Amino acid sequence: AQSVTQLGSHVSVSEGALVLLRCNYSSSVPPYLFWYVQYPNQGLQLLLKYTSAATLVKGINGFEAEFKKSETSFHLTKPSAHMSDAAEYFCAVSGEGGGFKTIFGAGTRLFVKA
Amino acid sequence: EPEVTQTPSHQVTQMGQEVILRCVPISNHLYFYWYRQILGQKVEFLVSFYNNEISEKSEIFDDQFSVERPDGSNFTLKIRSTKLEDSAMYFCASSGQGRREQFFGPGTRLTVL
């Protein structure tokens, strides 16, 4: 069965510093991978997705992620953090099983210090 | 751009009452899903639905839950007799022929008192 592991339930960075949120996945089929952001009391906003094309994926708000099959990873990065990036980030995988459900990681809360 | 919509945005109910959460998927999509997120926790899959039947369901989706596509546009989740632990954000999603990318609605926050 597919699964997602996000390393670090909380990550704290200074404004302007590099953001790195880690995600490892497990899948018996070529995966589709996603990063979502969730602000307090709001829904899920898709940041970016990997769907078997380019391994380096660029998303909204300056975020990008690289699919590394050998490492089964899909880490999310942003060169320079902004205060508005403070939120919960979820990595997710889909593609396995007849229902093609999406499996979410536990989430990483990003704090940005001034 | 087409989007998934959900109503209501927030529902408060008493324990033991029935609730129906409504979703309007993207119009040409064929696959429909419900997920839930208990406050502070991750998003969990509940059920997937295709061709007027459930294609997969999780352990959470017990006999208290049911789904229906009553017409050509709506997709509903019914909880027959709500419990306190049903309090959560419920997300509807839909996908097209490709299936593997799902589009999520804004969610319905259900509060059971």
Side-chain angles (χ1 to χ4, degrees):
Chain A
Q2 289 180 319
S3 66
V4 173
T5 301
Q6 291 185 242
L7 293 174
S9 58
H10 297 85
V11 170
S12 182
V13 300
S14 298
E15 194 173 21
L18 171 72
V19 175
L20 171 60
L21 304 183
R22 299 178 188 274
C23 172
N24 289 90
Y25 70 91
S26 171
S27 179
S28 63
V29 301
Y32 275 29
L33 293 159
F34 309 87
W35 275 100
Y36 292 89
V37 61
Q38 185 177 39
Y39 296 97
N41 297 311
Q42 294 192 25
L44 300 166
Q45 182 180 10
L46 180 66
L47 274 178
L48 49 78
K49 61 186 178 186
Y50 167 77
T51 57
S52 77
T55 56
L56 181 62
V57 181
K58 293 188 185 301
I60 61 171
N61 301 339
F63 285 94
E64 64 181 38
E66 186 172 8
F67 171 69
K68 291 188 177 180
K69 184 178 178 181
S70 60
E71 298 176 10
T72 61
S73 69
F74 190 58
H75 301 331
L76 181 71
T77 60
K78 182 174 179 177
S80 177
H82 192 274
M83 296 297 286
S84 61
D85 295 326
E88 186 92 21
Y89 291 80
F90 292 96
C91 181
V93 63
S94 78
E96 202 174 83
F100 282 76
K101 62 181 180 286
T102 300
I103 302 296
F104 287 81
T108 297
R109 181 162 295 278
L110 176 66
F111 297 92
V112 182
K113 299 174 291 187
Chain B
E1 186 173 331
E3 57 184 21
V4 177
T5 59
Q6 291 184 241
T7 54
S9 57
H10 191 187
Q11 176 140 11
V12 181
T13 190
Q14 295 291 325
M15 191 169 55
Q17 295 296 305
E18 174 184 286
V19 296
I20 297 176
L21 309 183
R22 291 183 167 79
C23 168
V24 178
I26 293 172
S27 64
N28 62 345
H29 283 185
L30 302 173
Y31 303 88
F32 313 111
Y33 309 82
W34 283 101
Y35 294 80
R36 81 169 185 193
Q37 183 184 32
I38 294 171
L39 187 64
Q41 298 186 24
K42 69 176 181 180
V43 179
E44 301 172 288
F45 168 76
L46 289 178
V47 65
S48 58
F49 189 86
Y50 169 70
N51 200 25
N52 281 321
E53 60 182 31
I54 291 173
S55 48
E56 188 175 358
K57 61 183 181 179
S58 72
E59 295 171 353
I60 304 166
F61 195 87
D62 61 22
D63 292 343
Q64 292 298 312
F65 291 90
S66 62
V67 289
E68 192 179 29
R69 190 156 161 80
D71 53 42
S73 60
N74 290 283
F75 179 52
T76 63
L77 174 69
K78 182 193 290 186
I79 308 175
R80 234 175 300 280
S81 178
T82 50
K83 307 182 187 69
L84 294 176
E85 55 264 37
D86 292 327
S87 294
M89 181 79 94
Y90 287 82
F91 293 104
C92 173
S94 68
S95 61
Q97 279 296 113
R99 288 194 283 177
R100 296 172 76 179
E101 180 183 354
Q102 291 156 29
F103 295 81
F104 285 83
T108 292
R109 179 166 296 285
L110 175 65
T111 302
V112 182
L113 302 176

